[in-house]
């Protein structure tokens, strides 16, 4: 089976490039090759394209274009937010939700060596942040709070407006990682009231290699990369013009298609979860508000990694929730934070559907899954 014939159910990891996005990128990959910093016509063409893309990204989250700082990845924007927003303070505390992506969690951990205290905000059994716990932690001189808008594994949507309200009461800054929310939820940065927000192009049918940090107008943030002074001096380095142009178009398309994508993916996800329940799967975060395209589940006595490989052989690309370290399979830290038993958590797999998936694909997936689950359970029974 070729990659083209397989069904791609892993849109939270990355998305295929939309043909309309590729079309606007093409001239900047071959033909227009100016450096956007150059003053001549080649450079001006690239600069103009980048500024247009900045407008498109800005419009998609209701900010002014001057608030958009382009970066090369969501990971970079998250790192910039954590390091850049805390640079103005002498070491105090940073509070992050216990289900943050490593792109937030790791830089937050790095701050410990510089004398910062790292506080982890608890989540409930559905994976939703515990606001009472946040309120309690905020009493400890918290300079920065970082809570994601939607979780990449479970899809649970966090009450970010409430987080901002609480944090403001204590004078703390707020960053939100909206990488998974973009294109799946309406985002109005101005009305949320956060100080910084991360977006990434390749999760919304745009290219890899472009992302953005959105800043409020008064944000006091230190530069992340020093050099020629691009991106208002905050992120030096020659811009990836083609990728940024594609990102702009992807944001525009995401806004136009938001509702239809939500309806399409919700119908597929509901069809999937009806089937999963019949097969005896436990679905994580099912009672919470979730992204319409995401389902994270496990079967008793089946390793997630094993199921991912078995389904790959059958032509379905899904993800496991565990991370392989050198000599073991670590259960998902998101599920552990939700109080899921580590052995059961090792079984977690994620299906994240997208605009090109169909109901027929879900039906054939469920049939294949049923036979794989039966086969793997028999193997486990023999092994015991
Ligand atoms: N934050 C979240 C919630 C993500 O899901 C991801 C990617 O999976 C990232 C950050 C990192 O984004 P990027 O892949 O653009 O570095």
């Amino acid at each position: 089976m070729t990659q083209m014939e397989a069904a791609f159910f892993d849109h939270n990891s990355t998305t295929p490039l939309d043909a309309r996005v590729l079309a606007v990128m093409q001239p900047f990959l071959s033909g227009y090759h100016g450096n956007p910093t150059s003053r001549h016509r080649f450079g001006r063409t690239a600069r103009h394209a980048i500024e247009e893309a900045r407008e498109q990204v800005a419009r998609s989250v209701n900010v002014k274009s001057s608030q958009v700082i382009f970066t090369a990845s969501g990971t970079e924007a998250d790192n910039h937010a954590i390091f850049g927003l805390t640079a103005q303070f002498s070491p105090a505390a940073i509070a992050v939700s216990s289900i943050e992506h490593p792109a937030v969690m790791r830089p937050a951990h790095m701050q410990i060596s510089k004398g910062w205290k790292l506080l982890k905000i608890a989540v409930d059994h559905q994976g939703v942040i515990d606001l009472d716990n946040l309120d309690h932690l905020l009493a400890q001189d918290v300079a920065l709070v970082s809570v994601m808008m939607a979780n990449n594994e479970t899809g649970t949507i966090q009450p970010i407006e409430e987080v901002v309200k609480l944090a403001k009461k204590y004078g703390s800054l707020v960053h939100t990682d909206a990488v998974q929310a973009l294109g799946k939820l309406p985002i109005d940065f101005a009305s949320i009231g956060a100080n910084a927000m991360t977006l990434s192009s390749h999760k919304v049918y745009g290219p890899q290699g472009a992302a953005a940090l959105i800043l409020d107008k008064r944000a006091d943030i230190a530069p992340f990369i020093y050099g020629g002074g691009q991106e208002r001096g905050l992120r030096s380095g020659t811009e990836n013009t083609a990728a940024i142009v594609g990102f702009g178009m992807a944001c525009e398309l995401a806004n136009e298609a938001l509702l239809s994508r939500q309806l399409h993916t919700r119908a597929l996800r509901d069809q999937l979860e009806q089937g999963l329940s019949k097969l005896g799967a436990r679905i994580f975060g099912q009672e919470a508000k979730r992204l319409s395209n995401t389902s994270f589940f496990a079967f008793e006595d089946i390793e997630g990694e094993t199921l991912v490989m078995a389904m790959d052989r059958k032509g379905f690309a899904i993800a496991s929730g565990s991370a392989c370290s050198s000599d073991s399979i670590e259960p998902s830290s998101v599920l552990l934070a939700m109080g899921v038993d580590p052995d059961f958590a090792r079984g977690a797999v994620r299906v994240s559907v997208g605009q090109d998936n169909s109901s027929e694909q879900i039906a054939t997936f469920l049939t294949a899954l049923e036979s794989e689950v039966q086969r793997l359970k028999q193997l486990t029974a023999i092994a015991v």
Side-chain angles (χ1 to χ4, degrees), residues 12-13 72-76 78 101 103-104 148 150-152 177 179-180 198-203 210-211:
N12 286 10
S13 74
S73 65
T75 301
E76 183 191 323
D78 279 342
H101 189 275
V104 164
M148 64 200 334
N151 183 263
N152 44 302
D177 176 338
V179 167
Q180 292 296 341
T198 298
L199 308 174
S200 182
S201 155
H202 73 104
K203 311 285 185 182

Side-chain angles (χ1 to χ4, degrees), residues 109-130:
H109 259 282
M110 291 295 293
Q111 292 296 72
I112 296 174
S113 63
K114 296 182 208 151
W116 286 78
K117 199 161 155 189
L118 178 59
L119 306 172
K120 293 204 184 151
I121 312 158
V123 295
D124 65 17
H125 291 306
Q126 295 296 321
V128 180
I129 187 172
D130 177 344

